[in-house]
mmCIF file of all heavy atoms in Angstrom:
data_model
loop_
_atom_site.group_PDB
_atom_site.id
_atom_site.type_symbol
_atom_site.label_atom_id
_atom_site.label_comp_id
_atom_site.label_asym_id
_atom_site.label_seq_id
_atom_site.Cartn_x
_atom_site.Cartn_y
_atom_site.Cartn_z
ATOM 1 N N LYS W 78 -12.929 0.045 4.444
ATOM 2 C CA LYS W 78 -14.286 -0.502 4.468
ATOM 3 C C LYS W 78 -14.284 -2.027 4.317
ATOM 4 O O LYS W 78 -14.551 -2.550 3.248
ATOM 5 C CB LYS W 78 -15.139 0.127 3.356
ATOM 6 C CG LYS W 78 -15.279 1.635 3.470
ATOM 7 C CD LYS W 78 -16.041 2.206 2.293
ATOM 8 C CE LYS W 78 -16.119 3.714 2.383
ATOM 9 N NZ LYS W 78 -16.774 4.310 1.199
ATOM 10 N N PRO W 79 -13.980 -2.739 5.394
ATOM 11 C CA PRO W 79 -13.888 -4.192 5.290
ATOM 12 C C PRO W 79 -15.123 -4.876 4.709
ATOM 13 O O PRO W 79 -15.027 -5.992 4.220
ATOM 14 C CB PRO W 79 -13.670 -4.626 6.752
ATOM 15 C CG PRO W 79 -12.978 -3.461 7.372
ATOM 16 C CD PRO W 79 -13.622 -2.256 6.732
ATOM 17 N N SER W 80 -16.270 -4.227 4.709
ATOM 18 C CA SER W 80 -17.479 -4.835 4.151
ATOM 19 C C SER W 80 -17.529 -4.732 2.625
ATOM 20 O O SER W 80 -18.467 -5.219 2.006
ATOM 21 C CB SER W 80 -18.715 -4.148 4.737
ATOM 22 O OG SER W 80 -18.737 -2.773 4.393
ATOM 23 N N ALA W 81 -16.526 -4.096 1.986
ATOM 24 C CA ALA W 81 -16.573 -3.838 0.546
ATOM 25 C C ALA W 81 -16.170 -5.032 -0.299
ATOM 26 O O ALA W 81 -15.983 -4.904 -1.485
ATOM 27 C CB ALA W 81 -15.671 -2.649 0.199
ATOM 28 N N GLY W 82 -16.069 -6.209 0.306
ATOM 29 C CA GLY W 82 -15.758 -7.404 -0.472
ATOM 30 C C GLY W 82 -14.468 -8.056 -0.029
ATOM 31 O O GLY W 82 -13.607 -7.426 0.576
ATOM 32 N N ARG W 83 -14.338 -9.332 -0.334
ATOM 33 C CA ARG W 83 -13.164 -10.089 0.062
ATOM 34 C C ARG W 83 -11.953 -9.640 -0.746
ATOM 35 O O ARG W 83 -12.028 -9.523 -1.975
ATOM 36 C CB ARG W 83 -13.424 -11.573 -0.171
ATOM 37 C CG ARG W 83 -12.293 -12.472 0.269
ATOM 38 C CD ARG W 83 -12.680 -13.915 0.043
ATOM 39 N NE ARG W 83 -11.603 -14.810 0.424
ATOM 40 C CZ ARG W 83 -11.674 -16.124 0.335
ATOM 41 N NH1 ARG W 83 -12.777 -16.687 -0.145
ATOM 42 N NH2 ARG W 83 -10.651 -16.863 0.708
ATOM 43 N N PRO W 84 -10.802 -9.420 -0.094
ATOM 44 C CA PRO W 84 -9.612 -8.992 -0.841
ATOM 45 C C PRO W 84 -9.132 -10.079 -1.801
ATOM 46 O O PRO W 84 -9.325 -11.273 -1.565
ATOM 47 C CB PRO W 84 -8.578 -8.739 0.259
ATOM 48 C CG PRO W 84 -9.355 -8.579 1.518
ATOM 49 C CD PRO W 84 -10.563 -9.441 1.356
ATOM 50 N N LEU W 85 -8.500 -9.652 -2.874
ATOM 51 C CA LEU W 85 -7.840 -10.582 -3.778
ATOM 52 C C LEU W 85 -6.589 -11.142 -3.110
ATOM 53 O O LEU W 85 -5.974 -10.487 -2.261
ATOM 54 C CB LEU W 85 -7.435 -9.872 -5.063
ATOM 55 C CG LEU W 85 -8.551 -9.389 -5.993
ATOM 56 C CD1 LEU W 85 -7.948 -8.583 -7.147
ATOM 57 C CD2 LEU W 85 -9.369 -10.547 -6.534
ATOM 58 N N SER W 86 -6.201 -12.343 -3.509
ATOM 59 C CA SER W 86 -4.912 -12.860 -3.069
ATOM 60 C C SER W 86 -3.812 -11.987 -3.649
ATOM 61 O O SER W 86 -4.025 -11.226 -4.606
ATOM 62 C CB SER W 86 -4.733 -14.303 -3.549
ATOM 63 O OG SER W 86 -4.652 -14.340 -4.968
ATOM 64 N N ALA W 87 -2.610 -12.103 -3.091
ATOM 65 C CA ALA W 87 -1.492 -11.293 -3.580
ATOM 66 C C ALA W 87 -1.235 -11.553 -5.065
ATOM 67 O O ALA W 87 -1.010 -10.618 -5.840
ATOM 68 C CB ALA W 87 -0.240 -11.582 -2.763
ATOM 69 N N ARG W 88 -1.278 -12.817 -5.493
ATOM 70 C CA ARG W 88 -0.975 -13.127 -6.891
ATOM 71 C C ARG W 88 -2.047 -12.573 -7.830
ATOM 72 O O ARG W 88 -1.723 -12.114 -8.929
ATOM 73 C CB ARG W 88 -0.785 -14.627 -7.092
ATOM 74 C CG ARG W 88 -1.976 -15.490 -6.727
ATOM 75 C CD ARG W 88 -1.625 -16.972 -6.816
ATOM 76 N NE ARG W 88 -1.167 -17.336 -8.134
ATOM 77 C CZ ARG W 88 -1.988 -17.639 -9.140
ATOM 78 N NH1 ARG W 88 -3.301 -17.593 -8.957
ATOM 79 N NH2 ARG W 88 -1.507 -17.959 -10.321
ATOM 80 N N MET W 89 -3.300 -12.571 -7.391
ATOM 81 C CA MET W 89 -4.353 -12.016 -8.227
ATOM 82 C C MET W 89 -4.317 -10.486 -8.206
ATOM 83 O O MET W 89 -4.551 -9.834 -9.229
ATOM 84 C CB MET W 89 -5.710 -12.531 -7.773
ATOM 85 C CG MET W 89 -5.945 -13.998 -8.068
ATOM 86 S SD MET W 89 -6.101 -14.330 -9.839
ATOM 87 C CE MET W 89 -7.829 -13.878 -10.098
ATOM 88 N N ALA W 90 -4.019 -9.914 -7.040
ATOM 89 C CA ALA W 90 -3.918 -8.448 -6.948
ATOM 90 C C ALA W 90 -2.829 -7.932 -7.878
ATOM 91 O O ALA W 90 -3.035 -6.976 -8.639
ATOM 92 C CB ALA W 90 -3.635 -8.034 -5.509
ATOM 93 N N TRP W 91 -1.664 -8.578 -7.846
ATOM 94 C CA TRP W 91 -0.573 -8.137 -8.715
ATOM 95 C C TRP W 91 -0.846 -8.491 -10.175
ATOM 96 O O TRP W 91 -0.408 -7.778 -11.085
ATOM 97 C CB TRP W 91 0.759 -8.714 -8.239
ATOM 98 C CG TRP W 91 1.289 -7.963 -7.060
ATOM 99 C CD1 TRP W 91 1.265 -8.341 -5.754
ATOM 100 C CD2 TRP W 91 1.869 -6.654 -7.084
ATOM 101 N NE1 TRP W 91 1.807 -7.360 -4.959
ATOM 102 C CE2 TRP W 91 2.189 -6.320 -5.751
ATOM 103 C CE3 TRP W 91 2.156 -5.746 -8.090
ATOM 104 C CZ2 TRP W 91 2.782 -5.105 -5.400
ATOM 105 C CZ3 TRP W 91 2.755 -4.524 -7.755
ATOM 106 C CH2 TRP W 91 3.057 -4.222 -6.420
ATOM 107 N N GLY W 92 -1.583 -9.563 -10.418
ATOM 108 C CA GLY W 92 -1.991 -9.864 -11.785
ATOM 109 C C GLY W 92 -2.854 -8.765 -12.357
ATOM 110 O O GLY W 92 -2.701 -8.352 -13.516
ATOM 111 N N LEU W 93 -3.764 -8.250 -11.538
ATOM 112 C CA LEU W 93 -4.623 -7.152 -11.974
ATOM 113 C C LEU W 93 -3.810 -5.886 -12.228
ATOM 114 O O LEU W 93 -3.956 -5.228 -13.269
ATOM 115 C CB LEU W 93 -5.695 -6.891 -10.917
ATOM 116 C CG LEU W 93 -6.681 -5.754 -11.183
ATOM 117 C CD1 LEU W 93 -7.506 -6.041 -12.434
ATOM 118 C CD2 LEU W 93 -7.588 -5.523 -9.990
ATOM 119 N N LEU W 94 -2.917 -5.560 -11.294
ATOM 120 C CA LEU W 94 -2.127 -4.334 -11.422
ATOM 121 C C LEU W 94 -1.192 -4.400 -12.627
ATOM 122 O O LEU W 94 -1.036 -3.411 -13.354
ATOM 123 C CB LEU W 94 -1.343 -4.083 -10.135
ATOM 124 C CG LEU W 94 -2.187 -3.784 -8.891
ATOM 125 C CD1 LEU W 94 -1.304 -3.727 -7.654
ATOM 126 C CD2 LEU W 94 -2.969 -2.493 -9.054
ATOM 127 N N TRP W 95 -0.554 -5.528 -12.840
ATOM 128 C CA TRP W 95 0.315 -5.679 -14.017
ATOM 129 C C TRP W 95 -0.489 -5.529 -15.301
ATOM 130 O O TRP W 95 -0.083 -4.807 -16.221
ATOM 131 C CB TRP W 95 0.984 -7.062 -13.994
ATOM 132 C CG TRP W 95 2.303 -7.115 -13.303
ATOM 133 C CD1 TRP W 95 2.605 -6.592 -12.074
ATOM 134 C CD2 TRP W 95 3.488 -7.755 -13.768
ATOM 135 N NE1 TRP W 95 3.898 -6.867 -11.742
ATOM 136 C CE2 TRP W 95 4.471 -7.580 -12.764
ATOM 137 C CE3 TRP W 95 3.816 -8.468 -14.915
ATOM 138 C CZ2 TRP W 95 5.762 -8.088 -12.899
ATOM 139 C CZ3 TRP W 95 5.108 -8.972 -15.051
ATOM 140 C CH2 TRP W 95 6.067 -8.781 -14.062
ATOM 141 N N SER W 96 -1.616 -6.209 -15.369
ATOM 142 C CA SER W 96 -2.412 -6.180 -16.601
ATOM 143 C C SER W 96 -2.925 -4.784 -16.908
ATOM 144 O O SER W 96 -2.870 -4.327 -18.059
ATOM 145 C CB SER W 96 -3.581 -7.160 -16.494
ATOM 146 O OG SER W 96 -3.123 -8.483 -16.346
ATOM 147 N N LEU W 97 -3.398 -4.082 -15.900
ATOM 148 C CA LEU W 97 -3.881 -2.721 -16.108
ATOM 149 C C LEU W 97 -2.752 -1.791 -16.540
ATOM 150 O O LEU W 97 -2.993 -0.792 -17.214
ATOM 151 C CB LEU W 97 -4.533 -2.185 -14.830
ATOM 152 C CG LEU W 97 -5.881 -2.799 -14.443
ATOM 153 C CD1 LEU W 97 -6.352 -2.251 -13.109
ATOM 154 C CD2 LEU W 97 -6.926 -2.535 -15.518
ATOM 155 N N SER W 98 -1.515 -2.142 -16.152
ATOM 156 C CA SER W 98 -0.357 -1.313 -16.500
ATOM 157 C C SER W 98 0.294 -1.736 -17.811
ATOM 158 O O SER W 98 1.330 -1.196 -18.194
ATOM 159 C CB SER W 98 0.677 -1.368 -15.368
ATOM 160 O OG SER W 98 0.126 -0.877 -14.149
ATOM 161 N N GLY W 99 -0.309 -2.703 -18.499
ATOM 162 C CA GLY W 99 0.199 -3.112 -19.804
ATOM 163 C C GLY W 99 1.268 -4.176 -19.769
ATOM 164 O O GLY W 99 1.973 -4.376 -20.763
ATOM 165 N N HIS W 100 1.408 -4.892 -18.643
ATOM 166 C CA HIS W 100 2.387 -5.961 -18.535
ATOM 167 C C HIS W 100 1.677 -7.314 -18.509
ATOM 168 O O HIS W 100 0.496 -7.410 -18.185
ATOM 169 C CB HIS W 100 3.235 -5.784 -17.272
ATOM 170 C CG HIS W 100 4.013 -4.516 -17.242
ATOM 171 N ND1 HIS W 100 5.168 -4.323 -17.978
ATOM 172 C CD2 HIS W 100 3.798 -3.345 -16.579
ATOM 173 C CE1 HIS W 100 5.636 -3.103 -17.765
ATOM 174 N NE2 HIS W 100 4.826 -2.491 -16.923
ATOM 175 N N GLU W 101 2.423 -8.354 -18.811
ATOM 176 C CA GLU W 101 1.861 -9.705 -18.899
ATOM 177 C C GLU W 101 2.196 -10.494 -17.634
ATOM 178 O O GLU W 101 3.352 -10.884 -17.431
ATOM 179 C CB GLU W 101 2.441 -10.430 -20.116
ATOM 180 C CG GLU W 101 1.784 -11.755 -20.418
ATOM 181 C CD GLU W 101 0.426 -11.598 -21.078
ATOM 182 O OE1 GLU W 101 0.143 -10.500 -21.591
ATOM 183 O OE2 GLU W 101 -0.332 -12.574 -21.083
ATOM 184 N N PRO W 102 1.217 -10.761 -16.758
ATOM 185 C CA PRO W 102 1.492 -11.539 -15.546
ATOM 186 C C PRO W 102 1.522 -13.035 -15.859
ATOM 187 O O PRO W 102 0.483 -13.675 -15.985
ATOM 188 C CB PRO W 102 0.317 -11.179 -14.629
ATOM 189 C CG PRO W 102 -0.803 -10.849 -15.568
ATOM 190 C CD PRO W 102 -0.174 -10.283 -16.806
ATOM 191 N N SER W 103 2.711 -13.603 -15.961
ATOM 192 C CA SER W 103 2.857 -14.996 -16.398
ATOM 193 C C SER W 103 2.282 -15.992 -15.398
ATOM 194 O O SER W 103 2.000 -17.136 -15.758
ATOM 195 C CB SER W 103 4.344 -15.310 -16.636
ATOM 196 O OG SER W 103 5.090 -15.113 -15.445
ATOM 197 N N TRP W 104 2.109 -15.550 -14.152
ATOM 198 C CA TRP W 104 1.624 -16.462 -13.107
ATOM 199 C C TRP W 104 0.089 -16.586 -13.102
ATOM 200 O O TRP W 104 -0.461 -17.342 -12.315
ATOM 201 C CB TRP W 104 2.103 -15.975 -11.735
ATOM 202 C CG TRP W 104 1.594 -14.614 -11.376
ATOM 203 C CD1 TRP W 104 0.431 -14.305 -10.725
ATOM 204 C CD2 TRP W 104 2.220 -13.361 -11.666
ATOM 205 N NE1 TRP W 104 0.296 -12.948 -10.582
ATOM 206 C CE2 TRP W 104 1.381 -12.346 -11.155
ATOM 207 C CE3 TRP W 104 3.407 -12.994 -12.312
ATOM 208 C CZ2 TRP W 104 1.695 -10.992 -11.272
ATOM 209 C CZ3 TRP W 104 3.718 -11.652 -12.423
ATOM 210 C CH2 TRP W 104 2.882 -10.664 -11.908
ATOM 211 N N VAL W 105 -0.602 -15.852 -13.956
ATOM 212 C CA VAL W 105 -2.066 -15.868 -13.994
ATOM 213 C C VAL W 105 -2.536 -16.793 -15.115
ATOM 214 O O VAL W 105 -2.099 -16.658 -16.263
ATOM 215 C CB VAL W 105 -2.620 -14.444 -14.202
ATOM 216 C CG1 VAL W 105 -4.132 -14.474 -14.345
ATOM 217 C CG2 VAL W 105 -2.217 -13.550 -13.027
ATOM 218 N N SER W 106 -3.422 -17.724 -14.789
ATOM 219 C CA SER W 106 -3.938 -18.674 -15.773
ATOM 220 C C SER W 106 -5.007 -18.018 -16.643
ATOM 221 O O SER W 106 -5.548 -16.963 -16.281
ATOM 222 C CB SER W 106 -4.541 -19.883 -15.067
ATOM 223 O OG SER W 106 -5.752 -19.522 -14.404
ATOM 224 N N PRO W 107 -5.357 -18.622 -17.792
ATOM 225 C CA PRO W 107 -6.438 -18.070 -18.629
ATOM 226 C C PRO W 107 -7.752 -17.908 -17.868
ATOM 227 O O PRO W 107 -8.452 -16.901 -18.054
ATOM 228 C CB PRO W 107 -6.554 -19.096 -19.761
ATOM 229 C CG PRO W 107 -5.177 -19.664 -19.886
ATOM 230 C CD PRO W 107 -4.665 -19.739 -18.473
ATOM 231 N N ALA W 108 -8.093 -18.872 -17.029
ATOM 232 C CA ALA W 108 -9.339 -18.765 -16.258
ATOM 233 C C ALA W 108 -9.275 -17.594 -15.282
ATOM 234 O O ALA W 108 -10.261 -16.877 -15.071
ATOM 235 C CB ALA W 108 -9.605 -20.063 -15.504
ATOM 236 N N GLU W 109 -8.104 -17.400 -14.696
ATOM 237 C CA GLU W 109 -7.947 -16.281 -13.766
ATOM 238 C C GLU W 109 -7.993 -14.949 -14.496
ATOM 239 O O GLU W 109 -8.442 -13.945 -13.928
ATOM 240 C CB GLU W 109 -6.646 -16.437 -12.988
ATOM 241 C CG GLU W 109 -6.688 -17.582 -11.984
ATOM 242 C CD GLU W 109 -5.332 -17.879 -11.383
ATOM 243 O OE1 GLU W 109 -4.301 -17.676 -12.064
ATOM 244 O OE2 GLU W 109 -5.290 -18.327 -10.216
ATOM 245 N N ARG W 110 -7.554 -14.918 -15.734
ATOM 246 C CA ARG W 110 -7.639 -13.688 -16.519
ATOM 247 C C ARG W 110 -9.103 -13.266 -16.707
ATOM 248 O O ARG W 110 -9.416 -12.074 -16.697
ATOM 249 C CB ARG W 110 -6.975 -13.875 -17.880
ATOM 250 C CG ARG W 110 -5.469 -13.982 -17.803
ATOM 251 C CD ARG W 110 -4.876 -14.297 -19.174
ATOM 252 N NE ARG W 110 -3.474 -14.626 -19.059
ATOM 253 C CZ ARG W 110 -2.500 -13.736 -19.080
ATOM 254 N NH1 ARG W 110 -2.787 -12.459 -19.236
ATOM 255 N NH2 ARG W 110 -1.242 -14.109 -18.962
ATOM 256 N N VAL W 111 -9.965 -14.247 -16.882
ATOM 257 C CA VAL W 111 -11.403 -13.950 -17.003
ATOM 258 C C VAL W 111 -11.911 -13.328 -15.716
ATOM 259 O O VAL W 111 -12.665 -12.349 -15.732
ATOM 260 C CB VAL W 111 -12.191 -15.225 -17.340
ATOM 261 C CG1 VAL W 111 -13.692 -14.952 -17.311
ATOM 262 C CG2 VAL W 111 -11.775 -15.757 -18.707
ATOM 263 N N ARG W 112 -11.486 -13.881 -14.577
ATOM 264 C CA ARG W 112 -11.886 -13.322 -13.288
ATOM 265 C C ARG W 112 -11.374 -11.892 -13.132
ATOM 266 O O ARG W 112 -12.097 -11.002 -12.666
ATOM 267 C CB ARG W 112 -11.366 -14.184 -12.151
ATOM 268 C CG ARG W 112 -12.071 -15.515 -11.986
ATOM 269 C CD ARG W 112 -11.442 -16.323 -10.877
ATOM 270 N NE ARG W 112 -11.432 -15.578 -9.623
ATOM 271 C CZ ARG W 112 -10.672 -15.902 -8.576
ATOM 272 N NH1 ARG W 112 -9.817 -16.916 -8.670
ATOM 273 N NH2 ARG W 112 -10.734 -15.208 -7.464
ATOM 274 N N LEU W 113 -10.125 -11.653 -13.517
ATOM 275 C CA LEU W 113 -9.553 -10.316 -13.393
ATOM 276 C C LEU W 113 -10.285 -9.321 -14.286
ATOM 277 O O LEU W 113 -10.505 -8.168 -13.897
ATOM 278 C CB LEU W 113 -8.065 -10.338 -13.740
ATOM 279 C CG LEU W 113 -7.162 -11.051 -12.735
ATOM 280 C CD1 LEU W 113 -5.727 -11.051 -13.229
ATOM 281 C CD2 LEU W 113 -7.249 -10.403 -11.361
ATOM 282 N N LYS W 114 -10.665 -9.752 -15.474
ATOM 283 C CA LYS W 114 -11.430 -8.866 -16.359
ATOM 284 C C LYS W 114 -12.746 -8.472 -15.691
ATOM 285 O O LYS W 114 -13.164 -7.314 -15.744
ATOM 286 C CB LYS W 114 -11.686 -9.544 -17.695
ATOM 287 C CG LYS W 114 -12.471 -8.670 -18.662
ATOM 288 C CD LYS W 114 -12.604 -9.324 -20.029
ATOM 289 C CE LYS W 114 -13.366 -8.407 -20.995
ATOM 290 N NZ LYS W 114 -13.479 -9.004 -22.344
ATOM 291 N N ARG W 115 -13.386 -9.441 -15.027
ATOM 292 C CA ARG W 115 -14.641 -9.138 -14.345
ATOM 293 C C ARG W 115 -14.419 -8.147 -13.201
ATOM 294 O O ARG W 115 -15.196 -7.207 -13.020
ATOM 295 C CB ARG W 115 -15.265 -10.429 -13.808
ATOM 296 C CG ARG W 115 -16.658 -10.207 -13.199
ATOM 297 C CD ARG W 115 -17.301 -11.496 -12.751
ATOM 298 N NE ARG W 115 -16.654 -12.050 -11.568
ATOM 299 C CZ ARG W 115 -15.939 -13.160 -11.541
ATOM 300 N NH1 ARG W 115 -15.753 -13.855 -12.666
ATOM 301 N NH2 ARG W 115 -15.396 -13.595 -10.420
ATOM 302 N N TYR W 116 -13.352 -8.368 -12.436
ATOM 303 C CA TYR W 116 -13.054 -7.430 -11.358
ATOM 304 C C TYR W 116 -12.832 -6.023 -11.904
ATOM 305 O O TYR W 116 -13.331 -5.038 -11.346
ATOM 306 C CB TYR W 116 -11.802 -7.877 -10.600
ATOM 307 C CG TYR W 116 -12.037 -8.953 -9.584
ATOM 308 C CD1 TYR W 116 -11.342 -10.159 -9.659
ATOM 309 C CD2 TYR W 116 -12.945 -8.793 -8.544
ATOM 310 C CE1 TYR W 116 -11.550 -11.168 -8.729
ATOM 311 C CE2 TYR W 116 -13.160 -9.792 -7.611
ATOM 312 C CZ TYR W 116 -12.458 -10.975 -7.711
ATOM 313 O OH TYR W 116 -12.668 -11.967 -6.794
ATOM 314 N N ALA W 117 -12.068 -5.915 -12.994
ATOM 315 C CA ALA W 117 -11.777 -4.601 -13.560
ATOM 316 C C ALA W 117 -13.036 -3.915 -14.049
ATOM 317 O O ALA W 117 -13.155 -2.692 -13.983
ATOM 318 C CB ALA W 117 -10.774 -4.735 -14.701
ATOM 319 N N CYS W 118 -13.979 -4.686 -14.545
ATOM 320 C CA CYS W 118 -15.218 -4.103 -15.074
ATOM 321 C C CYS W 118 -16.215 -3.762 -13.984
ATOM 322 O O CYS W 118 -16.974 -2.793 -14.108
ATOM 323 C CB CYS W 118 -15.863 -5.071 -16.067
ATOM 324 S SG CYS W 118 -14.937 -5.306 -17.593
ATOM 325 N N GLU W 119 -16.222 -4.568 -12.900
ATOM 326 C CA GLU W 119 -17.294 -4.455 -11.911
ATOM 327 C C GLU W 119 -16.915 -3.664 -10.666
ATOM 328 O O GLU W 119 -17.798 -3.104 -10.014
ATOM 329 C CB GLU W 119 -17.748 -5.853 -11.489
ATOM 330 C CG GLU W 119 -18.389 -6.659 -12.611
ATOM 331 C CD GLU W 119 -18.764 -8.061 -12.167
ATOM 332 O OE1 GLU W 119 -18.431 -8.431 -11.010
ATOM 333 O OE2 GLU W 119 -19.406 -8.774 -12.956
ATOM 334 N N ARG W 120 -15.637 -3.629 -10.324
ATOM 335 C CA ARG W 120 -15.238 -2.999 -9.062
ATOM 336 C C ARG W 120 -14.833 -1.560 -9.283
ATOM 337 O O ARG W 120 -13.890 -1.272 -10.000
ATOM 338 C CB ARG W 120 -14.096 -3.775 -8.411
ATOM 339 C CG ARG W 120 -14.445 -5.227 -8.096
ATOM 340 C CD ARG W 120 -15.637 -5.338 -7.146
ATOM 341 N NE ARG W 120 -15.975 -6.730 -6.887
ATOM 342 C CZ ARG W 120 -15.512 -7.439 -5.873
ATOM 343 N NH1 ARG W 120 -14.675 -6.892 -5.013
ATOM 344 N NH2 ARG W 120 -15.880 -8.697 -5.712
ATOM 345 N N GLU W 121 -15.550 -0.653 -8.667
ATOM 346 C CA GLU W 121 -15.208 0.764 -8.742
ATOM 347 C C GLU W 121 -13.902 1.029 -7.981
ATOM 348 O O GLU W 121 -13.545 0.282 -7.059
ATOM 349 C CB GLU W 121 -16.329 1.604 -8.131
ATOM 350 C CG GLU W 121 -17.651 1.531 -8.885
ATOM 351 C CD GLU W 121 -17.566 2.208 -10.243
ATOM 352 O OE1 GLU W 121 -16.737 3.118 -10.378
ATOM 353 O OE2 GLU W 121 -18.314 1.814 -11.144
ATOM 354 N N PRO W 122 -13.169 2.085 -8.365
ATOM 355 C CA PRO W 122 -11.935 2.407 -7.644
ATOM 356 C C PRO W 122 -12.124 2.561 -6.131
ATOM 357 O O PRO W 122 -11.183 2.304 -5.372
ATOM 358 C CB PRO W 122 -11.493 3.722 -8.294
ATOM 359 C CG PRO W 122 -12.010 3.624 -9.691
ATOM 360 C CD PRO W 122 -13.340 2.933 -9.562
ATOM 361 N N ALA W 123 -13.323 2.960 -5.703
ATOM 362 C CA ALA W 123 -13.568 3.102 -4.267
ATOM 363 C C ALA W 123 -13.400 1.781 -3.525
ATOM 364 O O ALA W 123 -13.174 1.765 -2.314
ATOM 365 C CB ALA W 123 -14.974 3.654 -4.030
ATOM 366 N N HIS W 124 -13.511 0.661 -4.248
ATOM 367 C CA HIS W 124 -13.358 -0.653 -3.623
ATOM 368 C C HIS W 124 -11.912 -1.123 -3.589
ATOM 369 O O HIS W 124 -11.598 -2.131 -2.954
ATOM 370 C CB HIS W 124 -14.203 -1.693 -4.369
ATOM 371 C CG HIS W 124 -15.674 -1.457 -4.252
ATOM 372 N ND1 HIS W 124 -16.592 -2.032 -5.109
ATOM 373 C CD2 HIS W 124 -16.405 -0.706 -3.389
ATOM 374 C CE1 HIS W 124 -17.815 -1.656 -4.787
ATOM 375 N NE2 HIS W 124 -17.725 -0.849 -3.748
ATOM 376 N N TRP W 125 -11.033 -0.440 -4.301
ATOM 377 C CA TRP W 125 -9.656 -0.905 -4.418
ATOM 378 C C TRP W 125 -8.914 -1.028 -3.089
ATOM 379 O O TRP W 125 -8.164 -1.984 -2.898
ATOM 380 C CB TRP W 125 -8.873 0.006 -5.366
ATOM 381 C CG TRP W 125 -9.059 -0.342 -6.810
ATOM 382 C CD1 TRP W 125 -10.178 -0.839 -7.406
ATOM 383 C CD2 TRP W 125 -8.083 -0.219 -7.844
ATOM 384 N NE1 TRP W 125 -9.974 -1.012 -8.748
ATOM 385 C CE2 TRP W 125 -8.696 -0.639 -9.045
ATOM 386 C CE3 TRP W 125 -6.767 0.228 -7.873
ATOM 387 C CZ2 TRP W 125 -8.024 -0.645 -10.265
ATOM 388 C CZ3 TRP W 125 -6.084 0.233 -9.085
ATOM 389 C CH2 TRP W 125 -6.708 -0.210 -10.266
ATOM 390 N N PRO W 126 -9.055 -0.082 -2.132
ATOM 391 C CA PRO W 126 -8.306 -0.231 -0.882
ATOM 392 C C PRO W 126 -8.556 -1.570 -0.193
ATOM 393 O O PRO W 126 -7.626 -2.158 0.376
ATOM 394 C CB PRO W 126 -8.801 0.955 -0.033
ATOM 395 C CG PRO W 126 -9.118 1.995 -1.057
ATOM 396 C CD PRO W 126 -9.744 1.225 -2.194
ATOM 397 N N ARG W 127 -9.795 -2.053 -0.248
ATOM 398 C CA ARG W 127 -10.093 -3.367 0.320
ATOM 399 C C ARG W 127 -9.679 -4.487 -0.632
ATOM 400 O O ARG W 127 -9.030 -5.456 -0.229
ATOM 401 C CB ARG W 127 -11.597 -3.453 0.613
ATOM 402 C CG ARG W 127 -12.096 -4.828 1.078
ATOM 403 C CD ARG W 127 -11.487 -5.241 2.395
ATOM 404 N NE ARG W 127 -12.059 -6.468 2.902
ATOM 405 C CZ ARG W 127 -11.613 -7.123 3.961
ATOM 406 N NH1 ARG W 127 -10.585 -6.648 4.624
ATOM 407 N NH2 ARG W 127 -12.177 -8.238 4.352
ATOM 408 N N LEU W 128 -10.040 -4.347 -1.903
ATOM 409 C CA LEU W 128 -9.808 -5.401 -2.888
ATOM 410 C C LEU W 128 -8.333 -5.756 -3.025
ATOM 411 O O LEU W 128 -7.966 -6.921 -3.165
ATOM 412 C CB LEU W 128 -10.356 -4.955 -4.246
ATOM 413 C CG LEU W 128 -10.346 -5.972 -5.387
ATOM 414 C CD1 LEU W 128 -11.336 -7.085 -5.128
ATOM 415 C CD2 LEU W 128 -10.644 -5.284 -6.714
ATOM 416 N N LEU W 129 -7.454 -4.733 -2.957
ATOM 417 C CA LEU W 129 -6.028 -4.927 -3.216
ATOM 418 C C LEU W 129 -5.181 -4.856 -1.946
ATOM 419 O O LEU W 129 -3.961 -4.725 -2.022
ATOM 420 C CB LEU W 129 -5.539 -3.884 -4.222
ATOM 421 C CG LEU W 129 -6.246 -3.916 -5.582
ATOM 422 C CD1 LEU W 129 -5.764 -2.770 -6.459
ATOM 423 C CD2 LEU W 129 -6.025 -5.247 -6.280
ATOM 424 N N SER W 130 -5.826 -4.955 -0.790
ATOM 425 C CA SER W 130 -5.100 -4.786 0.475
ATOM 426 C C SER W 130 -4.069 -5.884 0.704
ATOM 427 O O SER W 130 -3.122 -5.692 1.471
ATOM 428 C CB SER W 130 -6.084 -4.740 1.646
ATOM 429 O OG SER W 130 -6.846 -5.944 1.721
ATOM 430 N N GLY W 131 -4.212 -7.031 0.044
ATOM 431 C CA GLY W 131 -3.258 -8.112 0.242
ATOM 432 C C GLY W 131 -2.015 -8.029 -0.616
ATOM 433 O O GLY W 131 -1.168 -8.920 -0.558
#
Side-chain angles (χ1 to χ4, degrees):
K78 300 176 183 176
S80 62
R83 183 178 179 180
L85 292 174
S86 66
R88 60 186 302 276
M89 290 291 278
W91 282 103
L93 179 63
L94 295 173
W95 269 48
S96 298
L97 289 176
S98 300
H100 299 284
E101 188 76 17
S103 60
W104 61 89
V105 176
S106 70
E109 290 170 329
R110 289 175 190 273
V111 174
R112 288 177 56 196
L113 290 178
K114 180 175 182 179
R115 186 176 71 249
Y116 279 123
C118 292
E119 295 177 355
R120 301 301 178 93
E121 295 291 333
H124 294 162
W125 277 33
R127 174 63 174 173
L128 186 69
L129 300 175
S130 60

